[in-house]
Amino acid sequence: LISSPKSQGLHVIHIAAEMAPVAKVGGLGDVVTGLGKELQKRGHLVEIVLPKYDCMNYELIHDLRVLDFEVESYFDGQLFRNKIWIGTVEGLPVYFVEPIHPDKFFWRGQYYGEHDDFKRFSFFSRAALELLLQAGKKPDIIHCHDWQTAFVAPLYWDIYAPKGLNSARICFTCHNFEYQGAASASDLASCGLDVNRLNRPDRMQHHSGPDRVNPVKGAIVFSNIVTTVSPTYAQEVRTSEGGRGLHATLNSHSKKFVGILNGIDTDAWNPATDNLLKVQYRAQDISGKAENKEALRRYLNLSSANIRQPLVGCITRLVPQKGVHLIRHALYRTVDLGGQFVLLGSSPVPHIQREFEDIANHFRNHEHAQLILKYDESLAHLIYAASDIFIIPSIFEPCGLTQMIAMRYGSIPIARKTGGLNDSVFDLDDETVPKQFRNGFTFLNPDEQGISNVLERAFYHYKNNTEDWKQLVQKVMGLDFSWESSAAVYEELYHKSVARARATNRVH
Ligand code: ADP
């Protein structure tokens, strides 16, 4: 097992359900890896604990081996053995917990969406803490994420600190308050938590009433640091409209709650080195961008007649959160305005997927619009590079990564003013924003008029101010969306929390 960190560095252990690129469903996976790598670079010892899923990308785990050390953890009145595997992912040491349990919790061919998710992840949260205790770890920070590992916070204080795993402060990050993992109150007992003690309005009781508990609420109450993924989203979730029932809890714990904008992996998303592109390019010389536009048009059978015809891109999960009706409207409006539109997306919602399949059929042989309704990482890279404008008309957006990736590839974002989009996209025509920060186009009203107007403005700038547009492209390509500054904020929060704990311990 890995030894303790050197002098100044903190020992940070993430307990999470995802980690890119081995086990990624969404932004959570990117944050665990991106933040972890940056903290490691800054001299901290970072370790990750993940479930050992059958469906992970095993080829991306280096030196995976099973330890000759099993961990017994409690669940439903019994002790179960867990095999512990260790490997390296993106240079970070990762422990994989494999429960020896008849329900084969992580042997399901998918990460989430099983009928017993609450059971699977409350089991995992407890097993992960048991691993830290039995391995003799003395972390400074245990960082848990989203409802799947939110159980860690109450488990730590109620069960593991008394058992001697008591060196740590707990940090909880919520990546999307839409998902809170609420379940029957009685289910909470399986992992050993005391339902009577916790099923109270000021602790874990769900807002719907006394028969349900809410793990995210528990983590807000029982963590030392609570974060979400952008400053604007942190404000929004403290209102009754945005908080999904948790606004009151967040307000009463507001002192420890902050929004920190995620970074992107600037090594993976770099047009100067991206091998998936037809031609690599950099801000100093963007001629390669036009070649990628030409390549994408040929690949998708779009007209190449006019190099100055603006190409609008959109890459997204097609779910209501992303403003699907606005995306649809933007597609038709772009074609009306004389532009081209490329959508890459897929939907887990059957009626949305069907609706977009119909639209895709309508545009099948169209020379100005194409819809590709699947998940395709390589094509995503080419669209970021080829597009002139990129739309993200989300209804709500905790952080959003696509606007940052688009800018890195010189595609100018059109974003709705919400959540992390509001913290990263600033309107070119907004006189209240200092000129140096303006980098795209924004709109507020989530209706057809709102998206039409902003598209028209963007087209106007693109068509009438060619030189200004080129400078804008070069400017946004040079913006810093790396993890460096965000990781520094997390580092400071960790340090302050550890210092507070030490000061308190000295007093008592
Ligand atoms: P969310 O996590 O809510 O889906 P984000 O903007 O945080 O949204 O992250 C989306 C990520 O998924 C981006 O890296 C984007 O490029 C990628 N992505 C979304 N849909 C697709 C798709 N159909 N094909 C390839 N990549 C996709």
Side-chain angles (χ1 to χ4, degrees):
L1 295 176
I2 284 165
S3 62
S4 290
K6 288 177 244 94
S7 58
Q8 292 305 319
L10 293 170
H11 184 184
V12 181
I13 301 182
H14 290 271
I15 301 178
E18 293 182 37
M19 179 188 187
V22 288
K24 173 181 162 175
V25 177
L28 156 62
D30 290 320
V31 173
V32 171
T33 307
L35 175 60
K37 271 165 67 172
E38 186 60 37
L39 287 170
Q40 187 187 54
K41 221 194 269 175
R42 299 169 83 92
H44 305 290
L45 172 60
V46 181
E47 297 176 291
I48 320 281
V49 186
L50 287 183
K52 186 169 181 289
Y53 300 102
D54 56 348
C55 51
M56 287 190 297
N57 287 322
Y58 279 89
E59 68 279 13
L60 300 176
I61 309 172
H62 298 286
D63 306 324
L64 181 65
R65 62 198 163 85
V66 69
L67 298 181
D68 57 2
F69 155 84
E70 285 188 344
V71 166
E72 271 193 335
S73 65
Y74 172 93
F75 205 73
D76 272 338
Q78 291 180 57
L79 289 176
F80 293 94
R81 291 185 301 131
N82 296 275
K83 280 193 198 172
I84 307 298
W85 299 70
I86 184 165
T88 308
V89 176
E90 299 270 305
L92 291 164
V94 185
Y95 294 94
F96 298 93
V97 176
E98 181 187 359
I100 314 289
H101 188 285
D103 289 351
K104 298 192 179 335
F105 287 135
F106 302 110
W107 218 252
R108 307 286 181 85
Q110 62 176 359
Y111 298 106
Y112 310 132
E114 296 287 300
H115 71 281
D116 56 350
D117 278 358
F118 188 94
K119 210 169 159 185
R120 297 165 70 218
F121 289 103
S122 55
F123 181 101
F124 169 66
S125 296
R126 173 132 195 183
L129 285 171
E130 194 64 48
L131 163 64
L132 305 191
L133 175 71
Q134 292 187 23
K137 300 272 179 193
K138 297 275 175 232
D140 298 298
I141 298 288
I142 296 175
H143 195 149
C144 50
H145 299 263
D146 278 354
W147 78 261
Q148 289 87 355
T149 56
F151 305 96
V152 163
L155 281 169
Y156 179 82
W157 294 113
D158 283 5
I159 298 174
Y160 283 89
K163 281 187 186 214
L165 177 68
N166 55 8
S167 58
R169 302 269 95 191
I170 307 293
C171 179
F172 171 68
T173 297
C174 186
H175 300 257
N176 191 336
F177 282 92
E178 183 95 332
Y179 309 108
Q180 299 180 8
S184 289
S186 56
D187 291 353
L188 195 60
S190 298
C191 67
L193 287 170
D194 181 342
V195 182
N196 287 332
R197 207 182 84 74
L198 295 171
N199 186 15
R200 290 179 16 178
D202 61 339
R203 293 186 180 161
M204 290 186 76
Q205 191 171 96
H206 193 46
H207 60 86
S208 64
D211 55 337
R212 290 177 83 69
V213 287
N214 180 331
V216 168
K217 184 167 173 177
I220 297 168
V221 173
F222 289 100
S223 296
N224 302 99
I225 307 167
V226 180
T227 75
T228 190
V229 290
S230 71
T232 297
Y233 189 56
Q235 290 294 325
E236 289 168 353
V237 294
R238 287 177 58 179
T239 65
S240 54
E241 307 80 58
R244 303 290 192 272
L246 285 176
H247 60 285
T249 307
L250 289 166
N251 280 320
S252 54
H253 292 273
S254 63
K255 277 214 191 94
K256 63 184 179 189
F257 179 50
V258 286
I260 304 169
L261 195 69
N262 287 338
I264 56 171
D265 183 337
T266 46
D267 298 329
W269 296 110
N270 183 357
T273 56
D274 191 334
N275 288 324
L276 295 166
L277 304 187
K278 175 85 166 47
V279 187
Q280 284 93 40
Y281 60 100
R282 50 185 74 241
Q284 296 81 340
D285 175 10
I286 57 169
S287 53
K289 188 161 171 65
E291 290 184 55
N292 286 302
K293 182 169 170 178
E294 178 56 28
L296 180 72
R297 284 167 148 183
R298 235 179 300 119
Y299 177 66
L300 297 177
N301 290 322
L302 293 170
S303 163
S304 293
N306 176 8
I307 185 71
R308 289 287 307 152
Q309 182 181 19
L311 178 65
V312 180
C314 178
I315 302 173
T316 186
R317 291 183 295 125
L318 290 165
V319 292
Q321 174 196 334
K322 304 290 180 181
V324 280
H325 61 296
L326 300 176
I327 294 171
R328 188 186 56 208
H329 187 74
L331 161 59
Y332 288 102
R333 194 73 198 114
T334 295
V335 175
D336 283 351
L337 289 169
Q340 290 182 318
F341 196 100
V342 174
L343 168 72
L344 174 62
S346 61
S347 186
V349 185
H351 77 268
I352 299 179
Q353 179 73 15
R354 269 198 307 276
E355 181 191 342
F356 276 82
E357 275 166 8
D358 288 346
I359 303 174
N361 280 332
H362 175 77
F363 284 103
R364 176 115 306 154
N365 298 312
H366 203 284
E367 45 177 17
H368 299 303
Q370 282 300 319
L371 287 76
I372 307 94
L373 301 181
K374 59 174 181 184
Y375 188 93
D376 186 336
E377 188 78 32
S378 314
L379 184 56
H381 283 247
L382 193 51
I383 295 173
Y384 285 118
S387 54
D388 300 296
I389 295 170
F390 195 90
I391 62 155
I392 321 101
S394 304
I395 303 304
F396 76 95
E397 191 62 78
C399 176
L401 299 175
T402 61
Q403 76 279 18
M404 301 190 229
I405 302 170
M407 283 190 262
R408 187 141 168 87
Y409 282 72
S411 184
I412 306 302
I414 289 182
R416 200 171 93 75
K417 276 174 91 62
T418 181
L421 298 171
N422 186 52
D423 297 320
S424 52
V425 183
F426 306 101
D427 199 291
L428 218 62
D429 296 323
D430 186 348
E431 306 280 325
T432 67
V433 176
K435 250 202 168 108
Q436 71 265 30
F437 295 121
R438 299 186 208 164
N439 58 6
F441 299 92
T442 61
F443 69 107
L444 189 60
N445 294 338
D447 53 28
E448 295 188 350
Q449 192 66 49
I451 185 90
S452 282
N453 289 348
V454 73
L455 264 174
E456 282 160 28
R457 277 199 301 119
F459 272 52
Y460 177 84
H461 280 273
Y462 181 84
K463 288 186 169 159
N464 294 305
N465 307 322
T466 314
E467 188 48 37
D468 289 356
W469 188 274
K470 185 177 164 208
Q471 282 175 15
L472 177 63
V473 169
Q474 291 177 316
K475 172 173 140 179
V476 301
M477 286 183 72
L479 297 176
D480 180 10
F481 292 114
S482 70
W483 267 101
E484 218 175 295
S485 47
S486 307
V489 182
Y490 276 101
E491 183 181 53
E492 195 187 335
L493 286 175
Y494 292 165
H495 270 304
K496 278 190 179 153
S497 183
V498 167
R500 257 197 313 276
R502 292 197 179 133
T504 319
N505 287 343
R506 262 201 303 276
V507 173
H508 293 302

